[in-house]
Amino acid sequence: MEKIDCNRRVVITGYSMITALGNDAKTSWNGMINGKSGIGPITRFDAEGYSTKIAGEVRGFDPEKFIEKKEVKKMDQFIHYALACSKMALDMSGLKITGANAHRVGVWIGAGIGGLMTIEKYHTILLEDGPKKISPFFIPMLLINLAPGQVSIMTGAKGPNASTVSACSTGTNSIGDAYKIIARGDADAMIAGGAESTVSPLCISGFNAMKALSTRNDEPARASRPFDKNRDGFVVSEGSGIVILEEMNGAIKRGATIYAEIVGYGVSSDAYHLSTPDPEATGAYYSMKNAIEDAGLTPDDIGYINAHGTSTYYNDLNETKAIKQLFRDKAEKLKISSIKSMIGHALGAAGGIEAVATVLTVNTGIMPPTINLEEQDPECDLDYIPNIAQKANIKYAMSNSFGFGGTNATLVFKKWEV
């Protein structure tokens, strides 16, 4: 048996995203670089009695464009998003999964919460109509690992198949874990990212109870405002972000278009509090530091950071603090932005969506803005690309994700060079 190189280079040959700005990557990206907001009043349920009445809902999505009608009802909406995004990304990549390579192609897609809407729906049915009215598909509908499971069934991918679940770091961890699976030789290609759909009564009321959400209900487009002095919390959103990762030589050999290379992955834990980040920003610092060292780079090599940037006081402050600690004198020259200002916080899908946006940044040279940055918080005093996109030749870009439980994850992408 031929020995497999365990330090293989990994490239991105396809990508897609579904966001509050659009149901595909092109529409979503155009909205981002033009500084549009996808935040609006909640339509998924009657939010009249809730403190927060706004969200970043996906609009006009038709799962039957991607999934057989009889199968749609067997899945929660987060699985619909994962399947649709995976199909679009796979089609873009041109990768064909056949009997010859299926065992070397895997799927690694996570969600932070999973099928919460399905749980709410069937709990109501149980209380109103009794146990005999519960669907036999109830459990498979809500399980997080059924996102990659259904994608595997749809595509025929028979390689590694699992979910990383790490709150708001999920999408980033999933892509990083998939990257390492290919790098060490356990697969040649992976469909990876995150998906989430929890714009629901329990989700909104739960985050409201934590006082984590913006209540700027009269101005939804201005509600998500990372690094702004007048921010008052994040905005829940939904969607999916998926990338196709391939071993570089195999991708080149089959003539694939390569959009970027993934070169670094770092993780860490705050070990501090269940929801509040470490005030010393140690976890975020080490996540970024570990990713840069994994890439064989120094902080001076990084030209852009797609920030976690949630629009909450402590997250924005601590991410800023961690960037200053790591990049020191270069921190004030770094370009940083948060696309959550436009699409809200898609929880477990956020890292996948932000990874796609970071790939597009190094590929196109366009850095999306942080909108609603009208009066910058004096404690958040870096360059967050306020309100209008900027152009730059970015060779190395970083994407950060930080989640409840103190989980931190960072990816480093490189502009593709043969």
Side-chain angles (χ1 to χ4, degrees), residues 54-66:
I54 56 175
E57 294 180 338
V58 170
R59 301 173 184 87
F61 175 77
D62 181 2
E64 292 182 24
K65 290 182 178 179
F66 306 94

Side-chain angles (χ1 to χ4, degrees), residues 77-379:
Q77 191 154 267
F78 84 98
I79 301 178
H80 296 164
Y81 294 157
L83 278 164
C85 248
S86 296
K87 186 178 189 308
M88 288 187 285
L90 197 60
D91 288 347
M92 180 184 194
S93 76
L95 177 65
K96 304 299 182 185
I97 301 175
T98 68
N101 69 1
H103 68 292
R104 299 290 299 169
V105 181
V107 188
W108 207 277
I109 300 172
I113 298 176
L116 185 60
M117 292 199 301
T118 291
I119 293 171
E120 291 184 41
K121 174 184 174 180
Y122 281 100
H123 182 251
T124 299
I125 289 173
L126 175 66
L127 294 180
E128 293 179 353
D129 301 319
K132 292 185 179 180
K133 294 296 183 179
I134 300 300
S135 167
F137 300 109
F138 167 62
I139 298 299
M141 287 172 73
L142 65 91
L143 293 177
I144 289 174
N145 77 296
L146 259 291
Q150 292 282 18
V151 171
S152 176
I153 292 167
M154 176 185 75
T155 62
K158 295 183 178 182
N161 180 290
S163 296
T164 300
V165 179
S166 50
C168 303
S169 297
T170 293
T172 299
N173 279 132
S174 296
I175 293 170
D177 292 342
Y179 157 56
K180 290 301 182 180
I181 286 171
I182 297 173
R184 67 176 179 250
D186 289 341
D188 295 324
M190 296 290 293
I191 303 165
E196 199 82 90
S197 183
T198 56
V199 181
S200 72
L202 267 178
C203 180
I204 299 300
S205 58
F207 280 123
N208 272 157
M210 299 177 74
K211 301 188 184 305
L213 299 185
S214 172
T215 56
R216 196 183 287 256
N217 298 311
D218 295 334
E219 299 179 298
R222 299 179 67 226
S224 185
R225 43 199 317 114
F227 310 110
D228 187 82
K229 180 181 178 181
N230 298 308
R231 64 196 185 278
D232 71 330
F234 76 90
V235 177
V236 171
S237 66
E238 59 180 348
S240 180
I242 300 290
V243 294
I244 306 300
L245 304 177
E246 293 190 60
E247 187 274 324
M248 182 189 70
N249 291 326
I252 292 173
K253 184 177 180 180
R254 72 174 184 84
T257 299
I258 295 172
Y259 298 96
E261 182 176 0
I262 181 169
V263 294
Y265 174 44
V267 292
S268 70
S269 177
D270 285 2
Y272 175 74
H273 187 267
L274 60 89
S275 60
T276 304
D278 172 13
E280 300 301 317
T282 306
Y285 166 86
Y286 275 108
S287 181
M288 292 187 288
K289 182 175 185 289
N290 293 342
I292 289 171
E293 290 179 352
D294 184 54
L297 304 174
T298 70
D300 286 344
D301 293 311
I302 304 299
Y304 167 76
I305 298 176
N306 189 303
H308 188 53
T310 59
S311 186
T312 59
Y313 174 77
Y314 287 111
N315 175 84
D316 294 357
L317 176 62
N318 285 32
E319 187 167 14
T320 299
K321 188 181 294 186
I323 290 169
K324 288 181 176 180
Q325 290 174 5
L326 181 60
F327 291 88
R328 298 183 180 273
D329 293 342
K330 193 198 172 182
E332 62 184 26
K333 300 175 185 177
L334 264 174
K335 295 294 184 179
I336 306 161
S337 65
S338 171
I339 63 172
K340 288 186 180 74
S341 61
M342 295 171 280
I343 63 170
H345 191 347
L347 308 178
I353 294 167
E354 288 156 16
V356 173
T358 309
V359 167
L360 280 160
T361 292
V362 299
N363 184 257
T364 66
I366 303 174
M367 301 174 291
T370 304
I371 68 168
N372 300 321
L373 190 49
E374 298 166 350
E375 186 178 356
Q376 195 160 315
D377 186 335
E379 295 183 284

Side-chain angles (χ1 to χ4, degrees), residues 387-402:
N387 302 307
I388 298 173
Q390 297 179 17
K391 292 184 178 181
N393 183 15
I394 302 296
K395 184 174 182 179
Y396 293 103
M398 172 184 290
S399 182
N400 283 333
S401 293
F402 312 130

